Amino acid sequence: MNLLVLGINHKTASVALRERVAFGPDLAPRALQELMHTQGVEETVILSTCNRTELYCCLAPDGESESVRHWLQRFHRLDEDELTACLYQHSGEEAVRHLMRVACGLDSLVLGEPQILGQIKQAYSQSHQVGTLKGVLERLFQKSFSVAKRVRTETEIGASAVSVAFAAVSLAKRIFSDLGRTRVLLVGAGETVELVARHLKEQSVTKMMVANRTLERAQNLAQEFGAEVMTLEQIPDYLPKADIVISSTASPLPIIGKGMVERALKARRQQPILLVDIAVPRDIEPEVDELNDAYLYTVDDLQGIIEQNLESRKRAAGQAELIILEERDQFMGWFRSLESVNLIRDYRSRADQVQQQELAQALLALAQGDDAAQIMQRLARRLTNKLIHTPTQALNQAGKDGDQEILAVLAQSLRLGQR
């Protein structure tokens, strides 16, 4: 058996090619079944995300990676040269290490991001349902899940914000110890604000308001998070209710001015407001920072936090790599033991055959009235001769060839020369 990983990712292939090589949820079951019928493939899992497509296979002794590559090329009708230029391949212990690194977020576009682990678990579950998992890959993926959990527990790989959206929420969490008790106004309804809303929800924030130029887009976002909806013109009316304001629009001019915030603070009886402006150009006038009880942070402030946190994650990644090497070696020890298990089973089976043959002859002789003592001596002698025949031949051949390494292995295995 051999372990194989074949794939492309954000480092090796363009978005256009990654889109063509992807396996959507509807396509994956058929792809798994087809790949399982490829010569030499005994088990398989297909991992397909926006940033990577990888085929994990356990190959029979006669299986070749070329057959898997040709299958991928045929399935997606790809140009051979175009695919080959972007394809990477890992086998054996490097395949094991690669999956563990992916599961821990060490091979992701954003170092240490946790979403990939859920995507791997989904791919594993789908392979289970289709029936393309057996002993080896099942154990490997389960091992990778436990490694990712250990890395998250023993290192700081996921503790620091490295995206603007996450950094904004982390900043709010520093200032308000319990975000679940705050009311948040989100200005804009684009991808960044949607990510902010998701992070807020994870922090148990239930009171959100969404202001956007078009109500339709704001309503789509608000429906998912149970938020109130308003137009940009209505912000002055709702601003006094907000403990936190996070803004990210494409407006060329500021949306929230110093006077608007000043009036909101008066209505709040000087209860502070945290304002996080992650738009470029700015959504909030810089002069807001001059107001008492108004705490304004811009995307530049967040970038400093992100850079510090990224350095922290890089240090944690070094610790994670050591954990992965340790866990990889443990798995490879189990994987290599499978070969010895098969050999031991074969050796015992042959010994049992010899035993049954000689025992049958001895019992027949006893039934015919032969001397029992002679039968026992003959049985012991014949069993001994047959059981030592193959090792004796190997010792003789190694001696004739002058192969000291084989002689040493045989001597150690048979405990020869020991007193």
Side-chain angles (χ1 to χ4, degrees), residues 188-189 210-221 229-233:
V210 180
N212 196 50
R213 193 170 303 281
T214 59
L215 279 178
E216 184 180 358
R217 173 62 184 151
Q219 285 167 345
N220 291 337
L221 184 62
V229 176
M230 71 195 76
T231 62
L232 297 182
E233 290 74 19

Side-chain angles (χ1 to χ4, degrees), residues 5 11 70 100 102 106 111 128 158 182 194 208 238 245 266 282 297 309 334 344 384 389:
V5 179
K11 300 174 186 175
H70 287 147
M100 291 178 178
V102 172
L106 300 186
L111 180 64
H128 238 307
T182 64
E194 184 177 347
M208 285 188 249
Y238 286 85
V245 178
K266 286 181 181 178
R282 297 181 187 185
Y297 291 84
N309 291 345
W334 171 82
I344 290 168
T384 300
H389 176 70

